[in-house]
Amino acid sequence: MKKTAILAAMSLANLAQAHSLDFAADKYTAKTAEVNGATIAYRAYEGIPYVSKPVEPEYQQINIYIPEAYFNGGSINGYSAATAPIFLPNQIGGYMPAKPGVPGERRHGGQPGADAMQTALAKGYIVASPGARGRTSPTGKAPAAIYDLKAAVRYLRHNDAVMPGDAEKIISNGTSAGGALSILLGASITDGDDRKLFVEIMGAADARDDIYAVSAYCPISILEHADAAYEWEFNGVNDYEKMDITMLDYKVERKLVKGTLDAAEQRVSDELKAQFPAYVNSLGLKNAQGEPLALNADGSGSFRDYVAAFVAAAANAELQKGADPAVLQAENPWLTIDGKRVKNVDFAAYAKAMGRQKTPPAFDALDLSSGENQLFGDEHQDTRHFTAYSAANSAVKGAGSVGRAAVKTMNPLYYISEKTVPQHWRIRVGTKDRDTSHAIAAILAAKLQNSGKNVDMAMPWGVPHSGDYDLDELFAWMDGVVKGK
């Protein structure tokens, strides 16, 4: 990741007292968690600045939780103080600022039982949850959040010799915008040119910031092409249930407002959909068999079949669990089921059955009302366009647009290659997720696979926009990639 901007108000850091970046093993609180009937004792190190010169200390800090067993020569799940992987879950939603996570503080979606952080501790992981600045905080415009997450990784690597856990085995996790940033954290590479930004300006540790593996739920990613992707999937679906724009954080209860696209919005949808085939074809993607993934001008083609195959796989998984084929067919008429196997997915009918959630453009709103418009603002203009289409068709007189360099820092596709460090990637987006096109996760998965990475990609049946709903499977995957199973 090349240095592209000096984060706003960084000069304020020079006036603040510098914080030590050395881990203080004696400054902790003893805590316990109940996980599956067992009590897990751990030490909580909270509110640790991960940069020496934070400009927003409330967010530029990390909470670290370490099983007590590791201070007594014990082991958990085959891990010791020297070998325990580090689970790095961020709490970011809607590209909003986020404080570090706390075990047991929130189980996403009100699900019962232990949360991801508690589960990680019970399975022998060190938990390190970083906060990060976001679009509504004073210095949180893009790319502040990804710089913060990288600074947090640098802190962990800097303290690897004195802190339990193996900093060579950091596994990131996030949902929605947090999922996108989890992927970007793994994909982007910093080099010598970035030292001044991270070390001298931000006050980050002079250490590497690559990680071992990536977990991402429903990533809101590839933002400058997400509008076209959304219309490729939902074009022709004119009725919508749009989320209240004040409720953009995925963690809060959502309020939906119903409506129907007017003629002008339908025209925008048509124009954006028409852009998507050329973009997909420009990527040169291939499936696991080495066959090209492409789209025809009308949006059909092998790439659409590739996305539909994930939906079919999810339905087949339900059948394997014992779902009645006749009932599944009746409830989802866009499926064609032959015996106990899905024979076909009518993708257009599937999109109509799901229903549209966003009006076009879904992300770079013509009236600059989206959270992503605010993400790409700056200290002079709170919201800006970040696509050529919306800048050319803006409903706001004199609306500004962000430069290509800033957009690039938030798009993992610019960085994913054979040189990308993490070999292991897990991506999940539910079949009932309507927050972005399913094409986004599919593009990421294909690009990673084409770059030689091991990708575990699935679209769980009936799951909406959410994360951490399959913790047993998540940690089985994590154990597998760490232990080489």
Side-chain angles (χ1 to χ4, degrees):
M1 176 182 290
K2 296 292 185 181
K3 180 177 66 177
T4 58
I6 301 299
L7 301 183
M10 272 298 178
S11 60
L12 296 176
N14 296 324
L15 304 177
Q17 181 179 1
H19 294 271
S20 171
L21 295 181
D22 295 333
F23 179 71
D26 59 338
K27 296 181 179 180
Y28 68 90
T29 302
K31 295 187 177 183
T32 61
E34 297 295 323
V35 181
N36 296 327
T39 300
I40 307 300
Y42 63 93
R43 296 186 183 184
Y45 299 86
E46 297 178 325
I48 303 171
Y50 53 68
V51 288
S52 64
K53 298 179 286 186
V55 292
E56 295 192 46
E58 181 180 12
Y59 302 116
Q60 292 177 295
Q61 56 178 265
I62 189 169
N63 290 346
I64 299 173
Y65 304 96
I66 305 174
E68 183 65 35
Y70 293 152
F71 295 95
N72 304 308
S75 64
I76 304 173
N77 190 27
Y79 301 125
S80 67
T83 64
I86 300 176
F87 182 51
L88 190 80
N90 72 66
Q91 309 299 308
I92 298 165
Y95 288 102
M96 298 283 282
K99 296 180 180 180
V102 176
E105 184 177 65
R106 180 188 292 113
R107 177 71 191 264
H108 179 67
Q111 298 156 330
D115 64 12
M117 297 174 73
Q118 292 170 318
T119 301
L121 290 168
K123 292 184 177 294
Y125 288 73
I126 308 300
V127 174
S129 182
R133 291 167 294 164
R135 58 184 173 84
T136 60
S137 62
T139 66
K141 305 299 187 184
I146 188 60
Y147 286 173
D148 283 351
L149 294 183
K150 285 188 167 293
V153 171
R154 287 169 176 253
Y155 176 90
L156 296 173
R157 286 193 172 279
H158 172 73
N159 289 288
D160 191 31
V162 298
M163 192 183 90
D166 183 0
E168 295 297 329
K169 295 293 188 292
I170 298 173
I171 304 175
S172 66
N173 184 60
T175 298
S176 193
L181 287 164
S182 181
I183 287 176
L184 186 58
L185 179 62
S188 56
I189 300 173
T190 58
D191 56 25
D193 292 342
D194 297 286
R195 187 184 184 282
K196 180 177 178 63
L197 170 64
F198 281 99
V199 179
E200 298 179 26
I201 298 177
M202 290 184 66
D206 195 359
R208 290 162 36 213
D209 52 36
D210 55 282
I211 60 176
Y212 181 74
V214 173
S215 165
Y217 291 92
C218 51
I220 303 295
S221 187
I222 318 179
L223 294 175
E224 70 267 43
H225 298 286
D227 291 330
Y230 201 83
E231 299 314 316
W232 168 78
E233 184 161 343
F234 291 100
N235 179 260
V237 182
N238 295 328
D239 293 334
Y240 61 83
E241 289 183 318
K242 186 177 182 180
M243 186 170 60
D244 186 327
I245 62 172
T246 64
M247 308 289 287
L248 289 173
D249 189 330
Y250 79 94
K251 301 172 188 175
V252 300
E253 181 181 356
R254 297 179 155 213
K255 296 181 180 179
L256 299 176
V257 179
K258 293 184 178 182
T260 301
L261 300 186
D262 61 26
E265 290 171 322
Q266 291 179 43
R267 176 183 54 78
V268 171
S269 176
D270 291 343
E271 292 173 351
L272 287 169
K273 176 191 174 183
Q275 293 181 357
F276 195 59
Y279 171 65
V280 169
N281 296 343
S282 74
L283 297 175
L285 301 175
K286 296 181 180 180
N287 63 16
Q289 291 73 45
E291 300 165 337
L293 297 175
L295 289 175
N296 302 314
D298 65 355
S300 65
S302 57
F303 178 79
R304 188 176 71 178
D305 296 340
Y306 175 72
V307 179
F310 286 107
V311 180
N316 280 326
E318 290 300 297
L319 292 171
Q320 292 170 8
K321 293 176 185 176
D324 186 316
V327 173
L328 194 65
Q329 175 79 79
E331 292 178 347
N332 304 279
W334 42 271
L335 289 174
T336 300
I337 299 177
D338 184 4
K340 289 192 175 182
R341 293 290 299 174
V342 174
K343 186 177 180 180
N344 183 60
V345 172
D346 183 332
F347 198 73
Y350 160 64
K352 185 174 182 179
M354 273 199 304
R356 171 187 287 273
Q357 183 172 290
K358 297 183 177 182
T359 55
F363 298 94
D364 191 354
L366 299 183
D367 62 358
L368 293 174
S369 64
S370 79
E372 289 75 20
N373 289 132
Q374 190 176 43
L375 172 67
F376 287 108
D378 61 16
E379 66 271 28
H380 303 296
Q381 190 168 341
D382 187 51
T383 58
R384 290 189 295 179
H385 290 301
F386 54 91
T387 66
Y389 180 89
S390 290
N393 294 277
S394 181
V396 180
K397 186 177 180 180
S401 60
V402 69
R404 292 293 305 158
V407 176
K408 177 181 177 181
T409 62
M410 301 302 291
N411 186 343
L413 287 192
Y414 288 108
Y415 306 104
I416 295 171
S417 70
E418 290 77 7
K419 295 181 180 180
T420 301
V421 176
Q423 292 298 304
H424 308 288
W425 301 73
R426 185 179 193 267
I427 303 173
R428 293 291 184 272
V429 54
T431 60
K432 283 194 174 181
D433 196 321
R434 304 178 298 163
D435 280 54
T436 193
S437 171
H438 290 85
I440 296 299
I443 289 172
L444 290 169
K447 178 66 172 179
L448 288 163
Q449 288 175 330
N450 295 169
S451 300
K453 310 308 176 187
N454 300 318
V455 183
D456 183 337
M457 163 75 179
M459 296 181 183
W461 183 257
V463 174
H465 194 68
S466 56
D468 293 350
Y469 43 75
D470 57 348
L471 295 182
D472 288 343
E473 292 85 352
L474 171 62
F475 282 96
W477 173 80
M478 289 170 60
D479 282 345
V481 301
V482 171
K483 297 178 180 180
K485 294 180 180 179

